[in-house]
Amino acid sequence: MSEDIRKLSSLERVELAARTLGLDISIKRMEQSTRTAEEAAKAAGCAVGQIVKSLVFVNADTQALTLLLVSGAHNADTAYIAAAYGVRLKRADIDRVRDQTGFAIGGVAPIGHLVDLPVFMDESLLAYDQVWCAAGRPDSIFSCNPTTLAEKIAAKVIRIKAS
């Protein structure tokens, strides 16, 4: 991104990132909250599984922030992820999340972060033709094809919970 992205609003950063990545999105500002997966699904009129939760963790080995894109129907099993993929994750401090991504919890988008983050995506999201993601605010969402999103952001698609 060529512009000074720190000067942009969170919605503007998401829009700029989408254009830069070649993602055709339309951000929808809702009258109700989209902070939780259940609220977002109700606002979007979709299944909870179609909601993309953008969860920011700290990689315990590198101390770098790491983004997990998880279906709204699931919780990330960090013990399973560590055992299966060798990535040990711990909860990130909310101030660090805001400072380094530019987003507050409840509005973290999968794109438009202030820093580059490694991204892992829940394989169950690929079962849908369309998923809904936070757009930088707790009342804003956008839809996209999950396979296209994974390709554009170079997400590593993984199982996020033990079967």
Side-chain angles (χ1 to χ4, degrees), residues 107-144:
V108 177
I111 59 175
H113 305 118
L114 298 176
V115 298
D116 289 331
L117 301 175
V119 183
F120 296 90
M121 178 184 262
D122 181 349
E123 68 182 5
S124 72
L125 291 166
L126 301 181
Y128 299 101
D129 291 332
Q130 175 177 275
V131 293
W132 291 86
C133 308
R137 293 174 42 100
D139 66 352
S140 300
I141 55 178
F142 68 89
S143 66
C144 63

Side-chain angles (χ1 to χ4, degrees), residues 82-101:
Y85 303 101
V87 179
R88 296 183 317 121
L89 300 172
K90 60 183 183 179
R91 289 278 175 201
D93 174 79
I94 60 172
D95 291 330
R96 183 174 178 198
V97 171
R98 182 185 271 285
D99 291 345
Q100 292 188 359
T101 68

Side-chain angles (χ1 to χ4, degrees), residues 4-61:
D4 183 1
I5 61 173
R6 291 186 182 274
K7 293 180 181 176
L8 301 176
S9 73
S10 54
L11 289 176
E12 291 169 332
R13 279 199 328 274
V14 170
E15 289 173 332
L16 175 61
R19 281 195 311 273
T20 301
L21 292 167
L23 271 177
D24 184 22
I25 67 167
S26 176
I27 295 176
K28 298 185 184 309
R29 294 203 48 193
M30 306 305 216
E31 291 186 21
Q32 68 268 45
S33 171
T34 57
R35 184 178 304 272
T36 69
E38 291 77 16
E39 290 171 341
K42 185 175 179 182
C46 69
V48 172
Q50 288 177 267
I51 300 301
V52 177
K53 297 188 294 189
S54 297
L55 306 177
V56 181
F57 289 88
V58 173
N59 181 312
D61 296 321

